[in-house]
Amino acid sequence: MEGKESAAGSAGDEGSKDALGKPLGPTPSQSRFQVDLVAEGPRKSCGDIGAASKGGEEAKGRFRVNFVDPSAGSESPGEPGGGSSEGGNVSGVQNGGDTVMSEGSLHSGGHHHYYYDTHTNTYYLRTFGHNTMDAVPRIDHYRHTAADLGEKLLRPSLAELHDELDKEPFEDGYANGEEGTPAGDAAAAYTPDSKGVVKFGWIKGVLVRCMLNIWGVMLFIRLSWIVGQAGIGLSVLVIGMATVVTTITGLSTSAIATNGFVRGGGAYYLISRSLGPEFGGAIGLIFAFANAVAVAMYVVGFAETVVELLKENGTLMIDEMNDIRIIGAITVVILLGISIAGMEWEAKAQIVLLVILILAIGDFVIGTFIPLDSKKPKGFFGYNAEIFMENFGPDFRQEETFFSVFAIFFPAATGILAGANISGDLADPQSAIPKGTLLAILITTLVYVGIAVSVGSCVVRDATGNVNDTIVNELTNCTTAACKLNYDFSSCHSQAGAECHYGLMNNFQVMSMVSGFAPLISAGIFSATLSSALASLVSAPKIFQALCKDSIYPGFQMFAKGYGKNNEPLRGYILTFLIALGFILIAELNVIAPIISNFFLASYALINFSVFHASLAKSPGWRPAFKYYNMWISLIGAILCCIVMFVINWWAALLTYVIVLGLYIYVTYKKPDVNWGSSTQALTYLNALQHSIRLSGVEDHVKNFRPQCLIMTGAPNARPALLHLVHAFTKNVGLMICGHVHMGPRRQAMKELSTDLAKYQRWLIKNKMKAFYAPVHAEDLRDGGQYLMQAAGLGRMRPNTLVVGFKKNWRQGDMRDVETYINLFHDAFDVQYGVVVIRLKEGLDISHLQGQDLLSSQEKSPCTKDVIVKVDYSKKSETDTSIAFAPPSSERAPTSRKEEDDDGKTPTQPLLNKDSKSSPLSLADQRLLDASSQFQKKQGKSNIDVWWLFDDGGLTLLIPYLITTKKKWKDCKIRVFIGGKINRIDHDRRAMATLLSKFRIDFSDIMVLGDINTKPKKENIAAFEEMIEPFRLHEDDKEQEVADKMKEDEPWRITDNELELYKTKTYRQIRLNELLKEHSSTANIIVMSLPVARKGAVSSALYMAWLEALSKDLPPILLVRGNHQSVLTFYS
């Protein structure tokens, strides 16, 4: 039955594919998988072609993959039977082993887009003959959403395979860091139009382009002069040195180009995806500009040659300079026309120009074998060993040196990136770029060397061109090769006034003179200049377009737009044309040429450096298919490029460095929101890992103690004051981890954990907080706190101080929450943590005002504004505990903004709906909002009061000192308060002053309090007793059994015995509060020793009451208790 059904399905499917004009899929005998479209509407017969195509429209990408038995039912479906060789070939997409579907997705011209739909049960994949949802490995799972080659498919997510069936699966199925749109959107977002897109192979796209770009004017006009100056030997060395630089760069380019799919943008794309947007953005801009100016350079070279010809024939239009401008302008307009006509036309033009160029080179080679007597007076004698020997050594004149000659030749070797620059227009850039570039370098180098040697073997350095200079009598003092060939050109050296216009040294047109048919050489010069100009005119806009698409420079966004099937950057063409035209009109190319060469070299250097950097970072993603590269050779290549920059022109090199550095700093400062998995990221990770491991091997030392804080913030944006105050003493000093305990149903919490992690870490970075966000899921706050204290951090970078906000509403809430809160302190002391409790009288938690923070203290007139509020439900609106407590799910209210939801808490006060107009904030809320941003402002000249009553190792003193080192707090002075006896106040003050000066901590005053142990005022004692009344056990008024039972059920209750036992301690807290109000009511911030309660002896309610009594109605106060190990030392 099953066999028949799948066979019928496959027949219908193939029929529909045929009808739609798509390639027929493999027949059942070839393929073990078959795709059936599944319609959402009423089921129709698959055999009917019309119905199948209609079903396809309705299916919107839902499909069923059936197992097709290769032997058409003769064997049992459980056995693969005979199909293993084809069927096993699942991952080879072009082979018959994939599904029919991928045929359509591969040649992305299809009408149907198939996506795996996560929300229906219509997906049955019979993998290897078993009914499982698991997908087999295939290329479509690894694509980006808008891939050029096909559509992205989503493999089933782990949740869909692993979670219980009645639960709803996770929404998305994206892999790590892969951006994408949900299946439905993706189909709409990307419909590739593959018809008419022009893609080039390696010969037409890379080889031809590179050869044309490398063979420039130098070949015909300057090479013979270089041979004259440097001699054959050094000329070959010059060519060899240039080739070494370009070959290393070619190898590096090949390595990067084969490390993954290459899109348009050439050198910019390769560098930016390797080294990140900073280097990529800097190079992209100058490389595009260099290409645009190179157009002008080549066109002026062409115009100069035309003007020379006009001058020879006496037909100049105006004068030389203006003729160059006129001809250059006309030429660049024609080239622009060819470029805008499309890549196809441009490629045809390049082929024609290459043919002319090769004919010109052939013309020269043939010419060398036909020495004519008429050419001998001009110095051309045909191949001759004497001439070869004479021209082998150097003969530098006119202050030329080896390096100056090298600087003149080197630009002739550039142009190796011409193929890579149009990477977006290549059919297979991964194989085309290495093959084409390296072969082009080889061919052009051989031609350069060949021409250098042959011209050096045929032509003497100096010739008069005078037919009468033949030698009649034997001359004794004539030793030159020309003399032995019966020509006397000694007049060139001897007579001061005589000028020779011929020979390698004096005539730039030696190649025309030698060639069999001179006009062909002129045609070759035209071809070389125009082809290079055309290649640059196409490269510059393509690179610029890629740069603009990445929106690294927001101002250039308009140039990202492409037109037509090939996405041609017409706006970029116009811009390039205008730049080129501007430089043509300047027509002073001797100044521009070295800068352009240096711009090209800077990009070569960075391509080489990219390979070195990627290899150094050991990123698992760096695995180029091209294996013939070496990281150290690439580094040498990068260094060579930098050296050559200085050799060519030192001031241009410095200018290039300044420009690259300037752009690099700009892009770093702007921080574009892109993530390309660059090697910079990989190396940062590697360095962090290595340093963390190295740090782990070092014992802690008191001099290097840093407060490393675990702050129980909940959602970091819910308690900004807590965050900013702790940041004031950890920024650039110690570690800061924002702990967030998610409670409630595990499944929901797990989902929130993953979304929150990315969201809040981004929020911290955006708000310039040097902190980490660490969410955990736990049954209650205490468990979560324990998990974080034990597991947060890495190696030596582990927290050593727990920071919590004061639980302001403890009297109104559930006392079990208070028990949990106080137990956090006990747990922290158990694991040798210090504890800091921060209290602001207005409170800390602004989560119930979330979304209204645009009405901050600067904007006090909220009445007129319509504010969209991101509703954030919290169980207790004023809760200031370090974290809110999640209620049982039955109480939970629906949330309108899931991701802004801080643990899914329920409201107790009416909150603003998302659509309602926001009412003005109440006075308390406005104060809370102002208080929450008070530590972001510059603190004026006031005091930080340190009440260092108990020695906890020095943390109570270290924190205020660190705060005063920050810019916002630098005007604040530290005042120290200590306890003492009335009769020794002076002695105690001097002792403390000595200690502080040994610690090198500045202070403005030391106050010794002799009256700490005085009994507090009666009304304050009465207020305290009234506060604790509801939490007392009153065991003396109850029977023993009832009292014991009550204490067991409610361990937080205060017993009469305990109250009596700790009476003095209670009075001390009340008295300290009186003293604080008396001495420190104007301080900016108070740092005070936290009283410690013995575990198991002091009930939670009493301890909470002590903290309340101690810290109420005061400026912001930090109650600090170190772990009683020294954190300060006066030893060096």
Side-chain angles (χ1 to χ4, degrees), residues 460-701:
V460 293
R461 282 195 166 108
D462 298 288
T464 55
N466 190 341
V467 184
N468 302 328
D469 279 345
T470 49
I471 300 173
V472 184
N473 310 324
E474 194 69 28
L475 290 176
T476 51
N477 62 348
C478 184
T479 55
T480 60
C483 293
K484 293 170 187 166
L485 295 165
N486 298 332
Y487 274 83
D488 177 16
F489 297 140
S490 56
S491 59
C492 294
H493 304 289
S494 59
Q495 295 171 16
E499 277 192 21
C500 295
H501 293 291
Y502 294 97
L504 295 175
M505 293 296 228
N506 313 309
N507 183 9
F508 288 150
Q509 304 291 340
V510 166
M511 284 185 72
S512 307
M513 185 256 298
V514 172
S515 67
F517 181 60
L520 248 182
I521 296 290
S522 298
I525 293 172
F526 295 164
S527 160
T529 48
L530 292 179
S531 62
S532 297
L534 198 51
S536 299
L537 185 56
V538 170
S539 298
K542 295 268 182 195
I543 295 163
F544 197 53
Q545 183 185 29
L547 178 70
C548 297
K549 271 186 182 165
D550 290 334
S551 54
I552 287 175
Y553 301 105
F556 295 144
Q557 205 63 43
M558 58 179 286
F559 293 104
K561 187 167 169 51
Y563 296 87
K565 290 169 185 159
N566 261 28
N567 200 18
E568 293 289 350
L570 295 188
R571 293 172 180 181
Y573 280 129
I574 303 298
L575 183 68
T576 307
F577 164 72
L578 293 173
I579 293 171
L581 193 61
F583 280 100
I584 287 166
L585 296 178
I586 295 169
E588 276 297 326
L589 282 189
N590 292 346
V591 180
I592 298 157
I595 299 177
I596 300 309
S597 295
N598 274 336
F599 279 4
F600 283 131
L601 273 164
S603 44
Y604 292 178
L606 277 180
I607 286 176
N608 285 316
F609 183 69
S610 299
V611 171
F612 169 72
H613 201 268
S615 306
L616 187 69
K618 299 185 177 73
S619 167
W622 172 251
R623 38 179 199 279
F626 181 83
K627 297 292 180 214
Y628 306 102
Y629 71 94
N630 177 286
M631 62 186 280
W632 299 109
I633 289 176
S634 292
L635 180 63
I636 291 165
I639 295 165
L640 280 176
C641 287
C642 295
I643 294 169
V644 172
M645 284 168 76
F646 276 98
V647 166
I648 289 179
N649 190 310
W650 66 267
W651 61 261
L654 287 177
L655 183 68
T656 308
Y657 285 139
V658 168
I659 293 171
V660 172
L661 194 65
L663 291 170
Y664 178 87
I665 291 165
Y666 170 80
V667 178
T668 310
Y669 173 72
K670 280 287 182 190
K671 288 195 179 67
D673 187 21
V674 291
N675 181 8
W676 295 322
S678 65
S679 61
T680 315
Q681 288 171 333
L683 197 62
T684 307
Y685 172 83
L686 196 66
N687 287 339
L689 187 65
Q690 286 170 345
H691 284 105
S692 302
I693 290 167
R694 195 177 307 159
L695 201 60
S696 300
V698 181
E699 282 300 314
D700 284 332
H701 191 281

Side-chain angles (χ1 to χ4, degrees), residues 26 106 143 277 312 314 431 444 533 552 564 605 643 712 728 772 830 836 858 883 937 942 1086 1108:
L106 241 162
R143 294 193 196 285
E312 281 174 24
S431 78
T444 51
I552 287 175
I643 294 169
M712 304 298 276
F772 298 98
D830 284 346
V836 178
Q858 299 95 342
I883 194 143
K937 306 184 191 80
S942 65
I1086 302 168
E1108 172 73 42

Side-chain angles (χ1 to χ4, degrees), residues 741-746 749 776-785 787 820 884-887:
V741 181
H742 285 262
M743 291 166 287
R746 184 171 181 277
V776 291
H777 171 259
E779 290 304 311
D780 65 16
L781 178 68
R782 185 179 184 186
D783 284 351
Y787 299 158
T820 305
F885 300 81

Side-chain angles (χ1 to χ4, degrees), residues 838-892:
I838 296 178
R839 179 173 190 180
L840 270 60
K841 59 173 175 276
E842 299 85 0
L844 289 165
D845 187 1
I846 62 161
S847 56
H848 59 292
L849 307 174
Q850 210 72 50
Q852 292 185 351
D853 45 7
L854 52 152
L855 310 174
S856 62
S857 47
Q858 299 95 342
E859 216 178 288
K860 294 260 169 63
S861 55
C863 329
T864 55
K865 283 226 168 207
D866 283 10
V867 181
I868 303 237
V869 176
K870 300 170 187 168
V871 181
D872 209 18
Y873 294 103
S874 57
K875 183 180 177 191
K876 313 171 184 65
S877 55
E878 315 88 55
T879 177
D880 276 321
T881 59
S882 55
I883 194 143
F885 300 81
S889 50
S890 57
E891 294 176 37
R892 186 169 299 221

Side-chain angles (χ1 to χ4, degrees), residues 200-229:
F200 301 118
W202 72 273
I203 294 179
K204 208 170 174 185
V206 184
L207 181 69
V208 170
R209 248 163 229 289
C210 287
M211 280 164 58
L212 279 169
N213 228 2
I214 296 169
W215 281 330
V217 196
M218 294 291 171
L219 180 64
F220 297 105
I221 299 181
R222 289 284 185 280
L223 193 57
S224 55
W225 177 84
I226 289 168
V227 173
Q229 291 279 0

